[in-house]
Amino acid sequence: WNLSNGARVIVKHTDFKDDEILFTAFAYGGSSMIDNQHISEAKFINDFAPLGGLGAFSASNLKKALAGKHIGVSTTLNSYSQAASGSSTIKDLESFMQLLYLNFTAVRADETAYKSFVDRMQNLLPHLANNPEMVMTDSLMNAVYMGNPRMTIPTAEEIGKASYTKSLEIYRSYFANAADFTFMFAGSVNPETLKPLVEQYIASLPSKTDKPSKAFNAQALPVRKGAYVNNFTRELEVPKASIQIIYSGKLPYTLADHIQLDALKQVLDMELIDKIREEKGGTYGVQVKHSAEKLPEESFTIELKFDTDPNRRVELTDAIEALIAAIQQHGPQAEKLQKVKEYMLKQHTDNLKKNGYAIRNLHRYYNFGTDFETGYEKQVEGLTIDSLKAFAKKLFSQGNRIEVSMSSEE
């Protein structure tokens, strides 16, 4: 449905789960568009916005008003987009729509709640700054984003500088133009029941234009290219070395590339268990995370994370590099690739019965123009040793590798 205020609404009725309606809304922009002079406000905007409640309700009174209702709405300002998400039952759908309307139009200021939050954070943040996990995270963010102040761990000084009034002003501006948003519903929702509620609560949202803006600042958060290593020591209660390795680069945002990336992640999982945990015995396991992003550019990230004895850090890191080089040279073993394909096909069959999967695919299709559903099984069945070998080479040969480790002092 294209509404009178320029907003677009997509509805997918499913029978996957009784009485479950999932919701998401998306618009381009995000904190990338916030001027550098308001970086402190940008860092805390998602914390400040919900403090005061909505409309006539304080945050605590809003909780009381929603008691017994199975609904929830949250909004967030991401780096390159602003979004809302939530869920509802059939019975509480109108209450859900009212809550959605208030999140867009009636974020409330509450100086008492704000001051209480700031006091808590100013006591907490100095302690977090000395927490080894936070030190590791801060070092990693510094390595990836080259010290960009938008991506440093917030400090007590920053929260003191951040203007609550300005934060709310910025937040409201991002949700002030309904024409920027695509609203999506999936689940046990009857379009005929939903339509009058959409007309009442979404079509009445304020708008400034009748066409969506797709503007965002792709240069706001440049990511480090090339090879970078930061191995440092720190006094730790338990002697160990924590290592994180990140590979990144360009990757088309397509179903075929998404499937290959998923398959490569599964292969890495198995190889790392066999070669690093079982054969080397130097760690309880290597955690592998992967992502394919559309914004700010079509790209991938593969992150490896593990702990080991400080004396074995170099040995295990070298072994992982050798393992990745072998996959690029020889591809995966046939039996492992077969296991990966069977797992992916089973997982896809299960996902096809989930509303969360349905709404993610609606988002990719209507906001990014990419169909991640049609032809999935055929693409998985078409995976070969040679295709994954070539894919691994395509990713790792880009040469973007960041290694950060924190080891206990001897």
Side-chain angles (χ1 to χ4, degrees):
W1 302 322
N2 293 309
L3 306 182
S4 56
N5 60 354
R8 184 167 62 155
V9 178
I10 312 297
V11 185
K12 181 170 184 175
H13 172 77
T14 72
D15 56 6
F16 303 151
K17 186 175 180 181
D18 287 344
D19 208 17
E20 179 184 73
I21 301 168
L22 299 186
F23 162 83
T24 187
F26 174 91
Y28 288 91
S31 61
S32 69
M33 303 289 281
I34 296 176
D35 191 87
N36 284 341
Q37 66 178 318
H38 296 302
I39 286 175
S40 296
E41 285 79 11
K43 281 189 177 181
F44 293 102
I45 202 164
N46 290 322
D47 298 306
F48 287 169
L51 289 176
L54 298 169
F57 299 97
S58 67
S60 56
N61 287 339
L62 186 63
K63 280 184 184 176
K64 293 173 188 173
L66 295 175
K69 297 184 187 294
H70 299 284
I71 59 173
V73 176
S74 63
T75 56
T76 185
L77 197 63
N78 301 312
S79 294
Y80 304 102
S81 65
Q82 50 271 17
S85 61
S87 62
S88 176
T89 58
I90 296 168
K91 176 173 70 74
D92 294 324
L93 187 54
E94 181 159 16
S95 295
F96 170 86
M97 298 295 275
Q98 292 168 347
L99 189 61
L100 174 64
Y101 182 88
L102 290 174
N103 269 276
F104 270 69
T105 62
V107 166
R108 180 178 177 274
D110 185 328
E111 288 292 333
T112 303
Y114 158 71
K115 284 172 183 169
S116 173
F117 175 77
V118 169
D119 287 345
R120 289 197 309 275
M121 294 303 289
Q122 286 185 322
N123 287 324
L124 177 65
L125 287 170
H127 296 293
L128 287 180
N130 294 313
N131 179 293
E133 285 188 19
M134 294 301 284
V135 170
M136 184 66 179
T137 299
D138 196 40
S139 300
L140 195 68
M141 298 295 269
N142 184 64
V144 173
Y145 295 104
M146 301 173 289
N148 190 324
R150 290 172 180 263
M151 297 303 287
T152 52
I153 300 289
T155 65
E157 183 185 1
E158 277 185 305
I159 199 169
K161 280 180 12 184
S163 162
Y164 181 48
T165 303
K166 187 64 181 178
S167 282
L168 293 187
E169 179 189 318
I170 293 170
Y171 172 91
R172 291 180 182 120
S173 72
Y174 276 97
F175 291 89
N177 187 21
D180 286 343
F181 284 85
T182 299
F183 298 82
M184 288 162 280
F185 297 83
S188 47
V189 55
N190 182 334
E192 296 306 310
T193 305
L194 181 65
K195 192 169 186 180
L197 296 175
V198 164
E199 289 169 347
Q200 183 174 356
Y201 295 107
I202 296 182
S204 62
L205 289 172
S207 62
K208 298 175 181 176
T209 60
D210 57 358
K211 289 185 179 178
S213 165
K214 292 197 172 184
F216 61 92
N217 180 6
Q219 281 73 51
L221 296 172
V223 173
R224 187 186 298 276
K225 303 296 182 188
Y228 175 86
V229 177
N230 177 19
N231 299 316
F232 65 95
T233 58
R234 182 180 176 84
E235 187 177 338
L236 301 174
E237 286 185 17
V238 179
K240 67 174 181 177
S242 297
I243 300 100
Q244 286 183 245
I245 303 170
I246 296 176
Y247 305 90
S248 64
K250 294 183 178 180
L251 183 69
Y253 195 78
T254 66
L255 175 62
D257 286 286
H258 185 82
I259 284 172
Q260 298 243 49
L261 184 62
D262 274 353
L264 179 59
K265 188 266 184 191
Q266 308 291 340
V267 168
L268 283 170
D269 277 334
M270 289 191 282
E271 291 288 353
L272 289 164
I273 288 171
D274 287 353
K275 302 285 194 310
I276 306 300
R277 191 178 79 181
E278 303 299 333
E279 288 182 20
K280 295 283 183 184
T283 181
Y284 288 116
V286 181
Q287 183 182 358
V288 184
K289 290 182 180 177
H290 70 308
S291 66
E293 302 294 342
K294 176 73 175 178
L295 304 175
E297 62 177 2
E298 299 184 354
S299 60
F300 80 94
T301 302
I302 295 174
E303 181 180 341
L304 310 182
K305 181 179 180 181
F306 65 100
D307 292 340
T308 189
D309 185 291
N311 296 322
R312 300 197 66 187
R313 175 183 64 79
V314 175
E315 174 200 353
L316 294 190
T317 302
D318 288 348
I320 288 171
E321 287 307 301
L323 183 155
I324 287 172
I327 292 174
Q328 294 178 75
Q329 189 173 356
H330 306 294
Q333 296 172 6
E335 62 270 25
K336 285 180 178 170
L337 178 57
Q338 186 55 35
K339 284 182 183 176
V340 167
K341 289 162 79 167
E342 288 170 3
Y343 172 78
M344 290 178 71
L345 289 169
K346 181 183 182 303
Q347 190 179 48
H348 181 64
T349 301
D350 293 342
N351 283 339
L352 287 173
K353 301 167 190 170
K354 294 177 180 176
N355 290 320
Y357 186 72
I359 206 158
R360 280 197 304 277
N361 281 338
L362 288 179
H363 165 61
R364 289 161 171 164
Y365 184 78
Y366 285 99
N367 291 314
F368 298 154
T370 306
D371 185 348
F372 270 40
E373 205 164 311
T374 306
Y376 185 96
E377 294 89 347
K378 186 177 178 182
Q379 292 275 5
V380 172
E381 287 161 357
L383 290 170
T384 65
I385 292 171
D386 284 342
S387 71
L388 263 187
K389 177 173 72 174
F391 182 76
K393 193 173 289 187
K394 178 171 85 168
L395 300 196
F396 295 118
S397 67
Q398 294 183 48
N400 301 316
R401 179 187 180 276
I402 289 171
E403 176 187 329
V404 175
S405 73
M406 176 177 66
S407 301
S408 51
E409 296 172 341
E410 294 183 7

